[in-house]
Amino acid sequence: MSKTNALPLIEPPATAATAPCCPPLTERPFTAEEAETAARMFKALGDPVRLRLFSAVASHEGGEACVCDISDVGVSQPTVSHHLKKLKEAGLLTSERRGTWVYYRVEPSVLAAMGRLLTIAPAAA
């Protein structure tokens, strides 16, 4: 009879890639650094293949996807790898190698930050 213990989940520390980037557009003007960060994210998503890959990862069961499950986007495997690298560099994806496969995930804080960025704050009464 074997005894199994559940291990606690350890949240990775927030990094520049997963930390919220910017305030809502209507809150105040961006600093130069905030504008660079936001532009890098939107530029990465401005390519249809990257947007499809980002969507495939974000909507995948469990919140992460193996590259083997999302690479059918109409381009070659090296091109998929290039686009995934660009999404990682923009701070939109994180990855983890497991054996021969790489698993990608969208950090919830990134999606929340992008949502806040585009939120219109209610007018002060």
Side-chain angles (χ1 to χ4, degrees):
M1 185 185 272
S2 68
K3 181 178 175 182
T4 59
N5 293 323
L7 296 174
L9 287 176
I10 298 174
E11 293 296 323
T15 63
T18 61
C21 82
C22 315
L25 288 171
T26 57
E27 184 177 299
R28 63 170 171 74
F30 283 175
T31 64
E33 184 179 330
E34 290 167 339
E36 285 290 327
T37 301
R40 203 170 32 253
M41 288 178 5
F42 286 112
K43 182 177 180 182
L45 292 174
D47 182 282
V49 172
R50 289 184 199 147
L51 189 55
R52 287 184 66 199
L53 288 167
F54 185 72
S55 174
V57 173
S59 64
H60 203 269
E61 186 177 333
E64 71 176 6
C66 173
V67 69
C68 60
D69 293 329
I70 59 169
S71 53
D72 185 23
V73 290
V75 295
S76 68
Q77 178 55 46
T79 303
V80 167
S81 294
H82 166 77
H83 286 304
L84 289 168
K85 178 183 174 187
K86 291 297 183 183
L87 290 167
K88 279 184 61 177
E89 288 172 351
L92 296 169
L93 294 179
T94 60
S95 66
E96 177 184 349
R97 179 172 290 281
R98 297 181 196 156
T100 59
W101 296 110
V102 178
Y103 287 78
Y104 291 88
R105 86 185 53 79
V106 176
E107 294 296 331
S109 62
V110 170
L111 290 178
M114 290 176 73
R116 280 190 306 275
L117 174 68
L118 297 174
T119 298
I120 297 175

